[in-house]
Amino acid sequence: MLTITDLRKSFPSPEAGGRPVEIVRVARFELAAGQQFGLRGESGSGKTTFLHLIAGLLAADAGRIDFDGVDVAALGEAARDRLRAERMGYIFQTFNLLQGYTVLENVLLGMSFGGGRMDRDHARALLERVGLGTRLHHFPRQLSTGQQQRVAVARALANRPRLVLADEPTGNLDRRRGQEALALIREACAEAGAALLLVSHDPEVLGQFSAVRDFAELNRPAAPGAA
Amino acid sequence: MTLPLILYRSLRQHALSTLVTAGSIALAVGLLMVVWMVKAQSQRAFVETSTGFDAVLGARGSRLQLVLNAIFHLEASPGNISAADFEQIRRHPAVKAAIPLAVGDNYRGYRIVGTQEELFTKVEYARGRRYVVQPGGRVFAGAAHEALVGSFAAERLGLRVGDTFQPYHGLIFDPKSQHEEVYTVVGILEPTNTPADRVLWIPLAGIQNMKGHDPKFATDLSAVLLQLRTPQAGFMLDMMYNRQGNRLTFAYPVGAIVANLFGKIGWFDRVLALVAYLVAFVAAGSVLASIYASMSARRRDLAIFRALGARRHTLFTAVVAEAAVIGALGAAAGFVVYGALLMGVARIIRAQTGVALDVFAGHPVLWIAPVAMVALCALGGVIPAIKAYRVPVAETLAPTS
């Protein structure tokens, strides 16, 4: 379902006098439909950039990202936006909920940008699934951190995605809530039939996955100055 | 559904700046519409206010002054004409009706005009409308010391049927120049929305024979109001009095003479319109500034929208639409400003001239100004929209790791 080949991304670096420094160079990575995969990576290792490239939030400098028969890296920005809106879900470490919108509206907006209608029943069902059926009209600031993360999970699944990308989803939660959130993400993805690619630096989180890989092994950026 | 939700939430989140901006837009739209409507309405009202007469005959002088004096009861009379001149024009075959007027006195600043009963019994002051005396009153009789008071003057002076008053000499109120004669109010006119509402009408002989007035001019008149049988008669009399004669002035047609006045003060309208345009542009600028200022607060939301797959043109449309909605809210409130201002201006014009503006009249500016303001605001939203369009998602949402 997801095959990445020779993917590269550089950013201009102030330390290098504004010259581009390679952050991501992944020769090959594969993820099967419905598979749940953990990527281990330390802070600054480029794993968030890797997820952004897959999601189409960033344009690749080179390489292929074959997702569901489409090369994401070859698409223009508008097409990447559409693909992400229709077939991907994204869970951020900081949740990135819309503070001015209710819990229900956050989830409804998650399903609306792909061109589909706002399916209130589906949104309610998702929020009930994550245990927030009684908090539909609350605003994020009225929820606990764990509850906010659950809204983020429901929103990521709102557009019935084929792939959910999770970037340190338990990073802002305590141990117990982190375990709960992780279990919820994994179960919800499995129930929805969505593949899950989760990046984390936490061994306890990654220990839950049968398929785990060290991002440092996968990502081999050129040394600064050699890009 | 997405766009209305985003608009609703965004406007609510920035309710204060939305209100302030919409308020300034309301002021701009209201002012713009008032300036236009006062111009259009006052021009229409003045030009159409002929009080039922086609022409005015008076002493040699300015036609405009003659019309302002005899029809609008403003300005001083350019001079007197003799009873013989009145008789001559009254008997002219081209003249359907001739009503003499004599002015020169006031009561507490409201003009006293001497005339004949026929003005109230035979003349239509507008098509199909005659003067009506309020119940319990009547028109003054012959040469009696009686007065028929216009509705506005009666209201302002607190005069009722049976009340008495002593006129003051001159057109401007001077407490030291009171005449000895005592007049009794015998009737109050129903409102006509014409300058007649501001006048205290008395018999012609009353003004002519008022003690203190020069007896040598006791039969003189200030002007004669004329109804003509045909338009051609007007041109004929114009030739007779204005070109061949040199003693009298024949002011015809009344409407065109007033319209000429508005032509002369057109620059004033243009200055007012310019001020209104400036206000409109300042308001549109404040929309731009307000949305632009709230952009940094919304930067994160915009990045989240993008992360959820919102296309750039969706965000562009949302921001422009928000500016347009603020413009529309302001334009709607502009009608309140417009109504309040126009009623105030209409009240002042009515008090000063007796001419009534039609505050409910339609005019293209009533839709052009709000629509143009909404368009201007939408245009003002374009720069913030481009800024929204360029929000770097990855950079805004997460530290790169």
Side-chain angles (χ1 to χ4, degrees), chain B residues 33-49 262 338 342 345-346 349 355-363:
Chain B
M33 293 192 297
V34 161
V35 166
W36 233 275
M37 285 302 278
V38 167
K39 173 188 163 186
Q41 276 291 305
S42 56
Q43 200 156 347
R44 184 203 62 77
F46 275 88
V47 169
E48 288 180 5
T49 299
F262 279 93
Y338 163 74
L342 189 62
V345 172
I349 290 179
V355 173
L357 305 189
D358 181 1
V359 292
F360 298 108
H363 189 279

Side-chain angles (χ1 to χ4, degrees), chain A residues 205-227:
Chain A
V205 168
L206 294 165
Q208 309 279 321
F209 287 81
S210 54
V212 178
R213 197 157 171 202
D214 204 328
F215 188 62
E217 287 173 18
L218 194 67
N219 188 34
R220 302 284 185 161

Side-chain angles (χ1 to χ4, degrees), chain B residues 267-287:
Chain B
W267 62 269
F268 184 66
D269 294 334
R270 287 193 288 277
V271 169
L272 279 182
L274 188 67
V275 170
Y277 282 134
L278 283 175
V279 175
F281 274 103
V282 168
S286 77
V287 171

Side-chain angles (χ1 to χ4, degrees), chain B residues 56-110:
Chain B
V56 182
L57 183 69
R60 197 69 172 175
S62 150
R63 292 179 208 199
L64 180 61
Q65 189 184 355
L66 197 55
V67 168
L68 288 178
N69 180 255
I71 303 281
F72 292 94
H73 305 292
L74 301 167
E75 284 272 357
S77 165
N80 288 350
I81 68 171
S82 69
D85 288 326
F86 169 59
E87 279 306 313
Q88 186 191 17
I89 190 80
R90 191 173 69 80
R91 291 167 194 275
H92 196 287
V95 172
K96 192 168 125 195
I99 303 290
L101 297 181
V103 299
D105 293 314
N106 77 90
Y107 178 61
R108 297 187 184 280
Y110 285 86

Side-chain angles (χ1 to χ4, degrees), chain B residues 77-163:
Chain B
S77 165
N80 288 350
I81 68 171
S82 69
D85 288 326
F86 169 59
E87 279 306 313
Q88 186 191 17
I89 190 80
R90 191 173 69 80
R91 291 167 194 275
H92 196 287
V95 172
K96 192 168 125 195
I99 303 290
L101 297 181
V103 299
D105 293 314
N106 77 90
Y107 178 61
R108 297 187 184 280
Y110 285 86
R111 217 170 259 221
I112 296 173
V113 178
T115 189
Q116 293 176 339
E117 294 165 64
E118 283 79 359
L119 177 63
F120 306 102
T121 55
K122 293 182 180 165
V123 172
E124 289 185 350
Y125 66 84
R127 190 183 292 265
R129 288 189 179 178
R130 286 180 193 280
Y131 291 99
V132 176
V133 181
Q134 289 179 8
R138 60 173 173 81
V139 179
F140 53 75
H145 284 186
E146 294 178 344
L148 178 62
V149 184
S151 59
F152 188 82
E155 182 195 319
R156 286 303 169 99
L157 294 169
L159 289 176
R160 294 179 186 178
V161 172
D163 287 350

Side-chain angles (χ1 to χ4, degrees), chain A residues 186-208:
Chain A
R186 296 193 63 196
E187 283 166 26
C189 285
E191 288 164 15
L196 171 65
L197 176 59
L198 180 144
V199 296
S200 176
H201 68 280
D202 185 347
E204 206 163 332
V205 168
L206 294 165
Q208 309 279 321

Side-chain angles (χ1 to χ4, degrees), chain A residues 10-142:
Chain A
S10 301
F11 290 107
S13 166
E15 287 94 8
R19 287 194 307 278
V21 170
E22 197 166 76
I23 303 297
V24 171
R25 180 186 286 222
V26 174
R28 189 155 182 93
F29 176 76
E30 289 183 11
L31 187 71
Q35 189 184 1
Q36 299 197 343
F37 198 99
L39 271 183
R40 180 186 303 110
E42 295 306 317
S43 182
S45 63
K47 57 188 192 303
T48 295
T49 304
F50 182 58
L51 292 191
H52 282 169
L53 287 165
I54 296 170
L57 289 168
L58 289 173
D61 295 340
R64 291 180 64 90
I65 304 169
D66 290 304
F67 169 64
D68 248 3
V70 179
D71 180 8
V72 178
L75 296 176
E77 186 174 47
R80 294 201 310 270
D81 290 342
R82 176 166 283 270
L83 186 74
R84 179 169 67 254
E86 288 174 353
R87 294 191 234 171
M88 290 186 198
Y90 204 113
I91 303 170
F92 297 89
Q93 178 180 348
T94 50
F95 320 142
N96 284 328
L97 298 179
L98 294 155
Q99 296 300 319
Y101 295 72
T102 64
V103 164
L104 182 64
E105 287 166 350
N106 264 280
V107 177
L108 285 169
L109 280 171
M111 65 178 67
S112 68
F113 292 119
R117 68 184 184 90
M118 286 185 172
D119 185 344
R120 285 179 172 267
D121 292 337
H122 180 50
R124 279 201 186 93
L126 280 169
L127 285 164
E128 271 163 26
R129 171 65 189 85
V130 299
L132 292 172
T134 57
R135 300 281 191 276
L136 299 180
H137 304 293
H138 284 58
F139 287 89
R141 63 178 176 278
Q142 298 170 309

